[in-house]
Amino acid sequence: TLGEWALEGLPSDELSVQNAIMVTRSSRYSLMIDPQGQANRWIKNREKHRISQNPQMCITTLTTKNLKDQIEFTMGEGLCLLIENVENEVDPMLDPVMDKAIIKKGKNMYINVSDQNMDYKEKFSLYMTSRLPNPHFSPELSAKVTVIDFAVTLTGLEQQLLGR
């Protein structure tokens, strides 16, 4: 897995590897503090195959007008949704998605977003990145997602420079 992550563009320092483990193994969706953009690049390379199926729907920001349509499409198709440039708050419309409030009806699974049952496939994954170096996320948001700090440390930078 370390070799795959390196090929996907993940820096080889210890902190980045630990962060990648949290992103890939956590039961909650990830909110990455990413001032240098390393996590963003890694996720885009890691999910390249799923993003390439429909890039306009898979990469977005919270200010996009058709965010609800993007959520519905990516959840229903089992793709990934990368929300970039998250500030201190996240749209409350995402709460049931972050909570994984899945409703099962027969063989189908749904998540109720804005009073609308949207299809949900288990392959769906949500990633959020913030360019802020020191964001102040609410305790409620921090409880719903896994907050991961991808900010480069001095030791990490040294390992990255020596590792390349």
Side-chain angles (χ1 to χ4, degrees):
T1 326
L2 290 176
E4 290 171 2
W5 290 344
L7 289 173
E8 292 163 352
L10 183 75
S12 57
D13 63 288
E14 203 173 308
L15 181 66
S16 295
V17 171
Q18 290 173 359
N19 288 341
I21 291 169
M22 288 196 291
V23 169
T24 55
R25 300 283 182 238
S26 176
S27 59
R28 293 182 287 176
Y29 295 125
S30 303
L31 173 51
M32 295 164 269
I33 301 167
D34 187 29
Q36 288 85 16
Q38 290 184 333
N40 207 333
R41 279 191 302 278
W42 175 61
I43 293 296
K44 285 179 180 175
N45 282 330
R46 179 175 175 72
E47 296 286 359
K48 189 174 11 185
H49 178 69
R50 295 201 295 172
I51 290 173
S52 66
Q53 293 178 29
N54 200 326
Q56 296 85 3
M57 294 303 251
C58 292
I59 300 173
T60 188
T61 62
L62 287 172
T63 55
T64 306
K65 286 184 169 78
N66 65 337
L67 179 60
K68 186 176 172 185
D69 297 333
Q70 291 172 314
I71 294 168
E72 183 174 15
F73 179 80
T74 53
M75 275 196 329
E77 296 293 320
L79 298 174
C80 66
L81 181 62
L82 173 60
I83 301 175
E84 300 176 318
N85 302 325
V86 172
E87 298 293 323
N88 292 323
E89 296 296 319
V90 172
D91 193 323
M93 173 176 62
L94 283 168
D95 285 351
V97 179
M98 291 186 296
D99 289 339
K100 294 187 179 179
I102 299 168
I103 303 162
K104 287 188 177 182
K105 288 186 181 172
K107 292 181 181 177
N108 299 331
M109 293 189 288
Y110 305 94
I111 291 183
N112 193 325
V113 178
S114 299
D115 296 328
Q116 178 185 350
N117 277 352
M118 297 182 179
D119 285 339
Y120 175 83
K121 290 211 168 57
E122 285 190 43
K123 285 189 173 186
F124 169 76
S125 48
L126 173 68
Y127 303 100
M128 294 177 279
T129 59
S130 173
R131 302 280 277 157
L132 299 175
N134 192 14
H136 299 286
F137 299 127
S138 68
E140 294 82 13
L141 177 59
S142 297
K144 290 177 184 178
V145 296
T146 303
V147 179
I148 304 170
D149 191 353
F150 266 87
V152 177
T153 61
L154 191 58
T155 314
L157 182 61
E158 186 178 299
Q159 288 177 350
Q160 285 178 33
L161 292 172
L162 292 174
R164 289 190 179 174

